Amino acid sequence: IEMDRIHTMEIILDKIMYSRNLSVRQVSSLTDIPKSTINKIQLQQKSPTMDEMEAIAKGLKLRITDLFLSDYK
């Protein structure tokens, strides 16, 4: 099996926050997820749980699939 590139899922919360001019505090308020957790997800220091993905999607009025990039989406 030849692997030309590694396929990874990328959470793009930081890009969404930037495009909407949202702060960590605002996203935390909209999602009921602690600021520290939002910050870690934004900086890709933590992978969000499915519950967190759902809360972020609901709070930001997005689909869960809008929150990440993947070749398998």
Side-chain angles (χ1 to χ4, degrees):
I1 297 173
E2 190 175 326
M3 301 207 35
D4 293 311
R5 65 190 190 112
I6 297 172
H7 298 281
T8 58
M9 186 174 83
E10 180 186 357
I11 303 298
I12 56 168
L13 180 58
D14 60 330
K15 293 174 180 64
I16 294 166
M17 289 172 63
Y18 180 81
S19 71
R20 294 182 175 200
N21 199 27
L22 290 169
S23 68
V24 170
R25 178 172 289 169
Q26 289 169 312
V27 174
S28 175
S29 178
L30 291 167
T31 62
D32 290 326
I33 297 172
K35 291 188 298 283
S36 59
T37 302
I38 295 294
N39 190 52
K40 287 176 184 171
I41 294 169
Q42 176 191 16
L43 298 174
Q44 298 192 18
Q45 295 173 350
K46 175 195 186 312
S47 292
T49 65
M50 287 306 296
D51 286 343
E52 290 165 342
M53 293 279 282
E54 186 173 60
I56 293 167
K58 183 178 177 184
L60 300 183
K61 296 179 174 40
L62 298 168
R63 292 185 176 141
I64 288 176
T65 53
D66 295 333
L67 298 174
F68 64 90
L69 301 177
S70 172
D71 291 339
Y72 303 101
K73 192 160 125 165

